[in-house]
Amino acid sequence: MKKKLSLILIILLIISIFYYKSIENKNKELHYAVEKYATSGFFNDYKLRRLDEWILEFSDGNICIVTIKGMEYKAPHDIITYKIFLEKNKKGIWKLKKYYK
């Protein structure tokens, strides 16, 4: 019984590592990172239900400012616009730094 349990735990650990690496690789693309940060996150106060458009305002390859527009997640679901500031880390992954209203 202990062998089966340890085997299951090892398999789950391997699957979670592969899942994390695949998400990390997707975040190297700016489009995916903007959509992910705009529409997901349990504690994200700026979360959108739907991302209608995004416009790249500035980018030098390491930092970028993007204007996003979409339907607000909270009722009454107004259309809202934010500017977000993203920065690329050493691994080339886009990380969200700040939202601007």
Side-chain angles (χ1 to χ4, degrees), residues 2-98:
K2 288 185 179 182
K3 288 182 181 180
K4 287 183 180 180
L5 183 61
S6 62
L7 181 63
I8 290 172
L9 289 175
I10 289 171
I11 290 171
L12 287 175
L13 179 66
I14 291 170
I15 290 171
S16 64
I17 289 171
F18 280 120
Y19 177 75
Y20 175 77
K21 289 294 183 182
S22 71
I23 296 297
E24 193 174 73
N25 284 336
K26 288 180 182 179
N27 272 346
K28 289 182 179 181
E29 296 178 29
L30 182 60
H31 177 73
Y32 179 82
V34 167
E35 190 167 335
K36 182 186 135 211
Y37 289 125
T39 60
S40 66
F42 189 71
F43 298 108
N44 185 357
D45 294 332
Y46 304 99
K47 183 163 59 170
L48 300 176
R49 180 172 297 277
R50 181 183 71 227
L51 184 62
D52 292 331
E53 70 179 66
W54 65 281
I55 301 166
L56 183 63
E57 299 287 333
F58 170 79
S59 178
D60 69 354
N62 291 323
I63 61 170
C64 71
I65 299 172
V66 179
T67 301
I68 59 174
K69 181 179 178 182
M71 185 189 312
E72 196 172 22
Y73 192 77
K74 298 173 187 169
H77 308 297
D78 295 329
I79 302 297
I80 194 158
T81 303
Y82 295 117
K83 284 189 186 246
I84 57 174
F85 176 71
L86 296 114
E87 188 173 31
K88 195 182 276 191
N89 68 8
K90 294 176 187 174
K91 294 180 181 179
I93 298 167
W94 290 103
K95 296 287 185 178
L96 177 69
K97 291 299 179 184
K98 193 164 183 174

